[in-house]
C-alpha cells in the first residue's frame, strides 16, 4: 500500500469522526453555540482545552523552533506553560463565577461602558485573527505534504473542514470534536517520538532519551548535537542567549498573552460549576504536559536526524549527493517547503551556516559557495517519521495529528471571533432586540466570514506558524490580560482608565510590530529591518507585548486615579467575583 493511500486512510478516518461528532452535537441554541450548554464534564473539558491550547504552533512549529534554535526557543515552552498556570490560578475561576459568554462581555459589564466593550471586541478580533493565521498556515503545511497538493490547496481544504464542523456545531460540536482531536494529536505526537528516542538512545521515553546517551557515538545526546551543529558553523545547541532582557520579556509576553487569549478563557464557561472550572484547568495542564515534556526531545532528535541524513559519513566528510537524496526530501521538495540550490555545481548538498564568519574559511577550503539546503521549520515534526525511516502507518498518524492540532485551535479561535461579533457587537451594542434565532444566524455568518479572512491571511502569512502565533500572544498580553486582571482584582479602575489602558497597550504593541514586520503584515511595508541592531533597547517585536502590558497597567491606574471611582454596584460586583462561590451559570444578562 502506498504512503499516499495510508495518509488518506488516517486523515479520512479522523475527518469522518469529526464530521460525525459535529452532526451529533449540532447546536440548537445560542447557549449551546457559545458555551456547549454549560454541562461539559471537567475531564472532557480539560481534554478539549488541551486540544484548543495545543495548536499547530505547539504540534508543528515548536519542536521545529527547538530543533533549529536550541535553548533560546525554550522561551516558548516556559511562556506557554507558565501562562496556562497563570490563567488557571488568576483568571479562570473568577471569570467562570461572573458567568458571561465572552471576554468582552465581562469587560463591558465590569467597566460599565459600551466603549470598553467595543475596544475589547477590537482587541479580541485582532489577537484571534492573528493567531488563527498560524493555525491555517500549519494546516496548509500538513495538507500539502500528506495529500500531495499545493500549500494553498491544502489550506483551502482545511478551511472547508473547519467551516463544516465549527459553523454547524458551535461550542457544543467543537468541544466534543476537540476531545477526539486531543486523542489523535497526542497519540500522533508521542508514538513517533518513542520510536525515534529508542532508535537514537535506546530509551523509549523521549524526555529521558533527551538526557541519555547517543548509541552511535557513546556520548551524551546533547553533547553529540552540540558537536554536530558547531562543526557546521552553527551556534551550540545548548548555548545561552546573549540578550537576557529580550528573552525575559518574550517569556513574560507569552505568559500573560496566554492568560489573555479569549478562545481558552471561554472554555471555562462550558462546565457546570466554578469548582469544575478549577478541576478542568488542572486536567488540561496534565494533558498539555504530555506533549510539552516531549517536544524538546522531538526537536533535538529531529536536528540530529536531519544532519545525519545530509552527512551520512559525518559532517567532516562528503555530504549527500543530490541524486541519492532520500524519498522524504523529494516529497517535501514538491511542497516548496524544502529547497535545494546547487551553488557550486558539485551535485552534493551542502548544509551549513554560511553566515558564520568563523566557518567561512573552512567552507572555502571545501569548495562550498553557500548553504544549499533550505528547510522550513514547520516541516520538521511532520517529516520526522520519514527522516527516521519509521513505518508508513506512523507517517499517516502524524499527518492526522498535525491536522487535528491546527484544526482544533482554529475552531476555538473562530468561535471566539464569531461570539464577539454576534453577541458583543450585534446583540449587546448594535441590535439589542435581535432574536435568539437571529443571533445564532449572525454567529454562524460571522464565523464563515472569519474563516474566509483567516484563509486569505494563511495564504499570505507574515512568518512561520510559531512566529505568527507569538505576535497574537503579544497583542493579547498588551490589551486583554491587564484589563481582566484589573477588572477582577482592583475596585478602583474605572471605565475611562480601563479603556485608555487597552487602547495604549494595543496601539503601542501593534505599531511596534508593524514597524518591523510590515504594516498590517503587508510584505515590504516595514520601516526598519527586523534585526536586533534596530530594536528599541534590544526588544524584539515578538517580545513587546510585555512592554505594552506595562503601559496598559500604568495608563489605566493613572487615568482612574484622576477620575471618579466606579459605582458602588460595580464595586460590589468585583467583590462577588473575587470570592468564587456558587454555580455562576453562563447566562445572557
Amino acid at each position: 500500500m502506498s504512503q499516499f493511500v495510508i495518509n488518506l486512510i488516517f486523515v479520512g478516518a479522523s475527518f469522518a469522526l469529526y464530521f460525525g461528532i459535529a452532526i451529533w452535537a449540532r447546536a440548537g441554541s445560542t447557549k449551546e453555540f457559545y458555551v456547549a450548554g454549560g454541562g461539559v464534564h471537567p475531564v472532557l473539558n480539560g481534554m478539549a482545552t488541551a486540544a484548543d491550547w495545543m495548536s499547530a504552533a505547539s504540534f508543528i512549529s515548536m519542536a521545529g523552533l527547538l530543533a533549529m534554535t536550541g535553548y533560546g526557543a525554550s522561551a516558548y515552552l516556559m511562556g506557554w506553560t507558565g501562562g496556562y498556570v497563570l490563567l488557571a490560578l488568576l483568571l479562570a475561576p473568577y471569570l467562570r463565577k461572573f458567568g458571561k459568554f465572552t471576554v468582552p462581555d465581562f469587560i463591558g459589564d465590569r467597566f460599565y461602558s459600551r466603549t470598553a466593550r467595543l475596544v475589547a471586541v477590537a482587541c479580541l478580533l485582532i489577537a484571534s485573527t492573528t493567531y488563527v493565521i498560524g493555525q491555517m498556515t500549519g494546516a496548509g503545511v500538513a495538507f500539502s505534504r500528506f495529500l500531495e497538493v499545493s500549500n494553498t490547496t491544502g489550506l483551502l481544504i482545511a478551511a472547508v473542514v473547519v467551516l463544516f464542523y465549527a459553523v454547524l456545531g458551535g461550542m457544543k460540536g467543537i468541544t466534543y470534536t476537540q476531545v477526539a482531536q486531543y486523542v489523535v494529536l497526542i497519540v500522533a505526537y508521542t508514538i513517533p517520538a518513542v520510536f525515534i528516542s529508542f532508535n537514537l538512545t535506546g530509551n523509549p521515553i523521549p524526555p529521558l532519551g533527551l538526557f541519555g546517551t547517543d548509541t552511535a557515538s557513546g556520548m551524551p545526546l546533547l553533547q553529540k548535537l552540540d558537536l554536530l551543529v558547531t562543526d557546521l558553523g552553527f551556534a551550540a545547541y545548548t548555548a545561552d542567549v546573549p540578550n537576557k532582557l529580550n528573552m525575559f520579556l518574550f517569556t513574560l509576553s507569552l505568559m500573560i498573552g496566554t492568560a489573555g487569549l479569549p478562545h481558552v478563557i471561554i472554555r471555562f464557561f462550558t462546565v457546570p460549576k466554578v469548582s469544575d472550572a478549577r478541576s478542568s484547568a488542572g486536567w488540561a495542564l496534565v494533558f498539555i504536559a504530555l506533549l510539552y515534556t516531549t517536544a524538546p526531545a522531538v526537536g533535538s532528535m529531529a536536528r540530529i536526524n536531519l544532519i545525519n541524513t545530509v552527512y551520512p559519513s559525518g559532517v567532516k566528510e562528503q555530504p549527500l549527493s543530490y541524486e541519492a537524496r532520500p524519498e522524504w526530501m523529494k516529497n517535501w521538495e514538491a511542497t516548496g517547503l524544502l529547497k535545494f540550490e546547487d551553488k557550486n555545481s558539485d551535485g552534493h548538498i551542502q548544509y551549513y551556516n554560511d553566515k558564520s564568519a568563523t566557518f567561512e574559511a573552512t567552507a572555502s577550503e571545501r569548495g562550498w559557495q553557500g548553504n544549499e539546503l533550505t528547510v522550513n521549520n514547520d516541516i520538521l515534526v511532520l517529516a520526522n517519521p520519514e527522516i527516521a525511516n519509521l513505518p508508513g502507518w506512523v507517517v499517516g498518524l502524524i499527518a492526522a495529528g498535525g491536522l487535528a492540532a491546527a484544526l482544533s485551535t482554529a475552531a476555538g479561535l473562530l468561535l471566539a471571533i464569531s461570539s464577539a461579533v454576534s453577541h458583543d457587537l450585534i446583540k449587546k451594542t448594535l441590535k439589542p432586540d435581535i432574536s435568539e434565532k437571529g443571533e445564532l444566524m449572525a454567529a454562524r455568518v460571522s464565523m464563515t466570514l472569519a474563516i474566509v479572512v483567516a484563509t486569505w491571511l494563511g495564504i499570505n502569512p507574515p512568518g512561520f506558524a510559531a512566529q505568527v502565533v507569538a505576535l497574537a500572544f503579544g497583542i493579547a498580553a498588551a490589551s486583554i490580560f491587564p484589563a481582566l486582571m484589573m477588572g477582577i482584582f482592583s475596585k478602583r479602575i474605572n471605565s475611562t482608565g480601563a479603556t485608555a489602558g487597552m487602547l495604549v497597550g494595543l496601539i503601542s504593541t501593534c505599531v511596534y510590530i508593524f514597524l518591523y514586520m510590515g504594516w498590517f503584515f503587508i510584505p515590504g511595508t516595514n520601516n526598519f529591518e527586523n534585526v536586533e541592531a534596530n530594536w528599541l533597547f534590544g526588544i524584539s517585536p515578538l517580545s513587546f507585548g510585555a512592554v505594552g502590558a506595562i503601559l496598559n497597567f500604568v495608563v489605566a491606574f493613572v487615568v482612574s486615579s484622576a477620575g471618579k471611582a466606579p459605582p458602588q454596584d460595580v464595586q460590589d460586583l468585583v467583590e462577588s467575583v473575587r470570592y468564587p462561590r456558587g454555580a455562576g451559570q453562563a447566562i445572557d444578562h
Side-chain angles (χ1 to χ4, degrees):
M1 189 182 296
S2 70
Q3 185 61 57
F4 178 70
V5 173
I6 294 173
N7 294 342
L8 280 181
I9 292 172
F10 274 89
V11 173
S14 63
F15 282 3
L17 176 63
Y18 307 153
F19 288 156
I21 291 172
I23 294 170
W24 166 73
R26 60 188 180 276
S29 67
T30 52
K31 188 173 183 180
E32 287 185 340
F33 192 90
Y34 293 140
V35 292
V40 180
H41 191 278
V43 176
L44 293 180
N45 192 55
M47 199 174 290
T49 303
D52 208 357
W53 176 238
M54 291 187 300
S55 62
S58 291
F59 190 98
I60 297 174
S61 277
M62 186 170 64
L65 276 170
L66 287 164
M68 292 303 188
T69 312
Y71 169 72
S74 63
Y76 286 91
L77 281 171
M78 294 185 290
W80 285 339
T81 307
Y84 187 81
V85 174
L86 200 64
L87 169 64
L89 293 177
L90 295 182
L91 295 181
Y94 303 107
L95 293 174
R96 179 63 188 82
K97 174 63 171 66
F98 190 70
K100 290 305 188 75
F101 283 149
T102 65
V103 168
D105 223 3
F106 169 79
I107 290 175
D109 280 18
R110 161 59 184 88
F111 297 112
Y112 51 96
S113 167
R114 176 180 291 188
T115 303
R117 183 190 298 273
L118 291 176
V119 171
V121 169
C123 295
L124 183 150
L125 292 178
I126 294 170
S128 297
T129 302
T130 307
Y131 195 177
V132 84
I133 299 171
Q135 311 317 308
M136 301 306 287
T137 303
V141 169
F143 268 118
S144 64
R145 163 63 189 94
F146 295 114
L147 297 185
E148 299 180 10
V149 295
S150 70
N151 197 41
T152 300
T153 303
L155 203 151
L156 293 173
I157 295 171
V160 171
V161 173
V162 174
L163 180 68
F164 181 86
Y165 75 77
V167 172
L168 179 65
M171 178 59 89
K172 186 178 179 183
I174 287 171
T175 295
Y176 294 107
T177 302
Q178 284 176 336
V179 170
Q181 287 170 328
Y182 175 78
V183 174
V184 171
L185 74 86
I186 199 66
V187 170
Y189 203 84
T190 53
I191 286 180
V194 167
F195 273 104
I196 293 166
S197 178
F198 186 75
N199 287 346
L200 285 177
T201 68
N203 192 324
I205 304 174
L208 298 181
L210 175 64
F211 298 100
T213 301
D214 174 51
T215 53
S217 63
M219 65 176 64
L221 186 79
L222 289 175
Q223 183 182 341
K224 169 69 174 178
L225 181 52
D226 275 344
L227 287 174
L228 286 174
V229 295
T230 53
D231 281 347
L232 293 173
F234 297 100
Y237 190 79
T238 58
D240 198 1
V241 293
N243 190 336
K244 298 287 196 308
L245 172 64
N246 188 67
M247 187 171 184
F248 170 77
L249 289 175
F250 182 50
T251 305
L252 180 61
S253 181
L254 290 175
M255 283 182 65
I256 61 178
T258 294
L261 280 175
H263 76 291
V264 177
I265 292 173
I266 200 173
R267 289 232 55 90
F268 296 103
F269 296 122
T270 65
V271 292
K273 299 178 294 182
V274 173
S275 60
D276 292 335
R278 292 182 183 274
S279 176
S280 64
W283 279 109
L285 197 57
V286 171
F287 293 130
I288 290 169
L290 293 176
L291 188 144
Y292 272 35
T293 55
T294 305
V298 171
S300 58
M301 292 173 189
R303 186 71 177 276
I304 289 175
N305 282 330
L306 175 64
I307 294 173
N308 286 341
T309 299
V310 179
Y311 296 93
S313 302
V315 295
K316 296 183 179 179
E317 303 299 327
Q318 184 81 309
L320 180 73
S321 165
Y322 179 69
E323 293 301 322
R325 71 195 187 283
E327 195 65 28
W328 73 265
M329 279 191 168
K330 298 175 184 177
N331 293 334
W332 284 101
E333 273 187 290
T335 68
L337 298 171
L338 184 146
K339 299 175 183 177
F340 169 72
E341 180 186 358
D342 195 0
K343 295 180 179 179
N344 63 350
S345 304
D346 70 344
H348 291 270
I349 302 173
Q350 278 87 51
Y351 170 63
Y352 69 105
N353 182 12
D354 55 7
K355 296 178 176 61
S356 170
T358 57
F359 195 71
E360 190 175 350
T362 302
S364 179
E365 288 174 8
R366 300 179 69 172
W368 296 352
Q369 296 179 13
N371 177 62
E372 298 176 346
L373 184 67
T374 304
V375 182
N376 186 303
N377 288 358
D378 288 345
I379 78 169
L380 282 178
V381 169
L382 301 178
N384 223 2
E386 297 173 276
I387 299 173
N389 294 314
L390 298 183
W393 66 268
V394 179
V395 178
L397 188 63
I398 202 90
L403 292 170
L407 298 179
S408 61
T409 304
L413 288 163
L414 291 165
L415 180 69
I417 292 170
S418 69
S419 300
V421 172
S422 61
H423 186 70
D424 295 294
L425 188 60
I426 297 176
K427 171 73 174 176
K428 292 289 188 175
T429 306
L430 301 178
K431 193 174 174 58
D433 59 343
I434 190 172
S435 66
E436 181 171 333
K437 184 177 179 181
E439 185 181 352
L440 188 59
M441 178 58 69
R444 286 179 165 141
V445 170
S446 59
M447 183 178 286
T448 303
L449 293 175
I451 291 173
V452 172
V453 173
T455 303
W456 183 82
L457 291 171
I459 295 171
N460 304 280
F464 56 87
Q467 273 190 325
V468 178
V469 167
L471 299 178
F473 280 81
I475 293 169
S479 58
I480 298 173
F481 174 78
L484 293 177
M485 286 293 291
M486 291 183 288
I488 294 170
F489 294 103
S490 174
K491 296 180 183 180
R492 186 61 183 84
I493 302 299
N494 60 27
S495 60
T496 307
T499 304
M502 283 190 290
L503 287 172
V504 168
L506 175 66
I507 293 170
S508 62
T509 302
C510 285
V511 168
Y512 193 79
I513 290 170
F514 290 156
L515 285 171
Y516 295 95
M517 306 293 286
W519 289 89
F520 304 101
F521 302 130
I522 299 172
T525 61
N526 55 303
N527 298 77
F528 306 102
E529 186 181 358
N530 189 21
V531 294
E532 186 171 350
N534 293 335
W535 297 341
L536 183 65
F537 302 116
I539 302 172
S540 161
L542 301 180
S543 309
F544 197 80
V547 179
I550 294 170
L551 295 175
N552 187 331
F553 278 115
V554 170
V555 169
F557 275 105
V558 169
V559 172
S560 296
S561 298
K564 295 181 179 179
Q568 188 59 46
D569 62 321
V570 172
Q571 296 187 44
D572 293 341
L573 177 67
V574 175
E575 187 74 16
S576 70
V577 169
R578 284 277 298 279
Y579 298 95
R581 295 185 295 266
Q585 294 185 9
I587 53 177
D588 180 14
H589 62 179

